[in-house]
Amino acid sequence: MWSAAELLIAFVIALLTAIITTPIIIWISKKCNLVDQPDNRKQHQRAVPSIGGLAIFIGIAAGFLYLQPEHPQMTAIIIGGIIMLLTGFLDDILDLRPGTKLLGQIGAASVVAYSGLVIEKVTLPFMGTVFLGEYVGIALTIFWIVAAANAINLIDGLDGLAGGVSTIAFISILVMAIMDYRVIVIGLCVLLIGATLGFLAFNFHPAKIFMGDTGALFLGYSIAIISMLGLFKNVAFFSFVIPIIVIALPVFDTLLAIIRRINNKQGISVADRNHIHYLLLKNGYSHRQSVWIIYAFSMFFGAMAIVVNNAQLMTSLAVFCFVLLGIHLFSVVCGIRSRGSFISLVNKKEELHKRRLK
């Protein structure tokens, strides 16, 4: 067990390393022309360095060398993280095909799953703890890691958005880890928070650098891993939804995107400007306001996850209702309209909606 002083030192090391490393990454990116060019779908008006996730990773690595956290599957976690990081990095510089990119993500998740770090059980209301079979656990683990990585990647559309949402998620998980005395999760959260905050100093609007898929996929992977180390191992009712509540908005955005693209007969990987952050901009909010609105709702969902952690059944049910209410309120703030079906909600066909109201 680390002392508070050791955790603070590790946090400062990760923070300062990211702060020092990010300008170097910016210089290298410009020198090698590893930049994100503006187009009609993106918000920035100039070329911006796009591999900032490397600075986050280096900051975490520096703090990791000091803290030296130990876990039976730590080697697999590190290898999986490097594979996920490299997958994002290659996509940033080579624009990988969706299938190739997904294969890299599955590879990273498979390393972790086959090391023995899997989702073994969930706790359900009225049923208690349900133990999953070996293959079901492996499949669910791979799905969760890939899903979390892509959820954070999809929400990475505005300056500081993915990094801020991830930091809020890490802080929420840190609070729950302290409550549940999950030592390894505490240490990893401290490193992730420090490095991500150091990068965010250069990533707030107007951003000097983007984290790119390099950072977004790695942060999503990290959220999935630490949730498996802590949140899936508690005894709370609805234990399976706690990690989902922590990143409720990225998950919500991902589900909307999938349904929207299927309904429009598009490929799931096809990019568009109908993600929740773009909807906020279309609804009249500024770039900064949109980011802070998503931050605020992310804090709310993080707080709800903390409450439901180790809560009794009735409390969990009440919190679940508040979560649904929060999602509905966020939909209203975004300007999303719903009538009749979920598909009409996600398509946001304003003219058709108005005709139906007449």
Side-chain angles (χ1 to χ4, degrees), residues 10-300:
F11 170 82
V12 172
I13 290 174
L15 176 73
L16 293 181
T17 301
I19 290 174
I20 294 169
T21 305
T22 303
I24 299 174
I25 300 295
I26 293 174
W27 181 83
I28 294 174
S29 298
K30 291 180 177 179
K31 201 74 173 177
C32 300
N33 197 34
L34 301 175
V35 295
D36 190 352
Q37 298 291 346
D39 59 31
N40 58 2
R41 189 179 63 85
K42 299 171 183 176
Q43 292 299 309
H44 58 285
Q45 304 300 317
R46 56 185 174 79
V48 179
S50 60
I51 55 172
L54 292 178
I56 298 175
F57 178 79
I58 294 170
I60 294 169
F64 188 95
L65 291 175
Y66 169 77
L67 211 55
Q68 296 186 9
E70 297 180 354
H71 189 273
Q73 282 83 34
M74 186 56 71
T75 300
I77 292 172
I78 294 172
I79 293 173
I82 292 174
I83 294 174
M84 190 69 79
L85 184 85
L86 289 176
T87 299
F89 178 75
L90 291 174
D91 187 50
D92 285 330
I93 65 175
L94 300 176
D95 194 18
L96 298 176
R97 294 168 62 92
T100 304
K101 185 176 173 181
L102 179 61
L103 187 62
Q105 297 168 12
I106 293 175
S110 297
V111 170
V112 175
Y114 285 101
S115 73
L117 180 58
V118 297
I119 303 171
E120 300 174 338
K121 61 183 180 180
V122 294
T123 306
L124 302 172
F126 310 112
M127 296 180 63
T129 301
V130 177
F131 289 89
L132 307 174
E134 178 183 359
Y135 295 111
V136 173
I138 290 175
L140 184 58
T141 297
I142 293 174
F143 173 80
W144 168 240
I145 294 174
V146 173
N150 280 285
I152 298 301
N153 193 32
L154 285 176
I155 206 172
D156 184 27
L158 298 180
D159 298 351
L161 184 54
V165 169
S166 297
T167 300
I168 293 168
F170 293 138
I171 292 173
S172 302
I173 296 173
L174 174 62
V175 172
M176 287 182 274
I178 293 173
M179 293 169 59
D180 293 341
Y181 204 70
R182 304 285 182 182
V183 178
I184 184 66
V185 179
I186 293 172
L188 293 177
C189 283
V190 166
L191 299 179
L192 288 159
I193 293 168
T196 308
L197 285 177
F199 171 77
L200 278 173
F202 302 88
N203 186 233
F204 279 118
H205 183 70
K208 298 179 178 65
I209 186 171
F210 297 151
M211 69 170 62
D213 283 16
T214 307
L217 290 179
F218 179 76
L219 288 180
Y221 168 87
S222 300
I223 291 172
I225 293 298
I226 60 176
S227 68
M228 288 168 56
L229 291 172
L231 304 186
F232 279 111
K233 294 182 178 295
N234 65 21
V235 295
F237 287 106
F238 291 115
S239 66
F240 69 101
V241 301
I242 296 176
I244 298 174
I245 295 174
V246 170
I247 54 171
L249 288 187
V251 170
F252 177 60
D253 185 45
T254 300
L255 291 175
L256 289 179
I258 291 173
I259 296 175
R260 180 174 64 247
R261 291 166 188 175
I262 290 176
N263 188 61
N264 292 332
K265 298 181 180 180
Q266 297 175 318
I268 293 179
S269 60
V270 174
D272 59 36
R273 288 182 58 87
N274 289 309
H275 291 288
I276 56 176
H277 41 280
Y278 292 133
L279 294 179
L280 286 169
L281 294 174
K282 291 177 182 178
N283 212 35
Y285 296 101
S286 69
H287 195 120
R288 287 178 179 267
Q289 287 174 333
S290 299
V291 171
W292 281 107
I293 287 171
I294 295 176
Y295 281 2
F297 276 94
S298 295
M299 292 177 191
F300 167 76

